[in-house]
Amino acid sequence: QVQLVESGGGLVQPGGSLRLSCAASGRIRSTNSMGWYRQAPGKERELVAKIISVFSPNYADSVKGRFTISRDNVKNTVYLQMNSLKPEDTAVYYCNAVLLTYDSGGYSNYWGQGTQVTVSS
């Protein structure tokens, strides 16, 4: 069974920084992509940033230049460094991974439990 465990959320003032981490554990054979989505109250879940295999990261236009996604393939961990945070970044942030396990016949989509990020003075 695969688990995605997130950490690093919290309350920060506008202009501040936070770093989110997400570690995938279980019988993982291969990782296709890892990334972050977010969902604000009353809004749909949206992509924040994603790393797909060896390709360059993808970012939502709203976070380009402020957020940086990185990945440790050995640890199956993905990070999201968030700088210059704005109140509109407030949301629950979800880790996402597309993984192949030793127990499945193909890649499957997995989600973390979510971590709250609140940007407020």
Side-chain angles (χ1 to χ4, degrees), residues 3-90:
Q3 280 192 317
L4 302 183
V5 179
E6 300 142 339
S7 61
L11 173 64
V12 65
Q13 292 186 342
S17 298
L18 283 175
R19 188 187 192 218
L20 305 183
S21 301
C22 171
S25 62
R27 290 172 48 81
I28 299 170
R29 181 175 179 180
S30 176
T31 303
N32 177 265
S33 69
M34 295 191 78
W36 294 91
Y37 288 73
R38 67 186 181 188
Q39 188 167 19
K43 294 188 177 181
E44 294 186 353
R45 190 174 297 189
E46 63 175 1
L47 173 69
V48 176
K50 179 188 289 189
I51 296 180
I52 303 175
S53 297
V54 299
F55 298 104
S56 297
N58 294 328
Y59 294 95
D61 288 341
S62 59
V63 307
K64 284 181 180 177
R66 301 187 298 121
F67 291 9
T68 303
I69 189 171
S70 60
R71 181 172 148 181
D72 184 329
N73 291 326
V74 174
K75 296 181 179 180
N76 282 322
T77 298
V78 64
Y79 305 95
L80 185 67
Q81 178 66 43
M82 305 185 293
N83 298 328
S84 302
L85 282 160
K86 304 175 181 179
E88 51 263 43
D89 294 317
T90 296

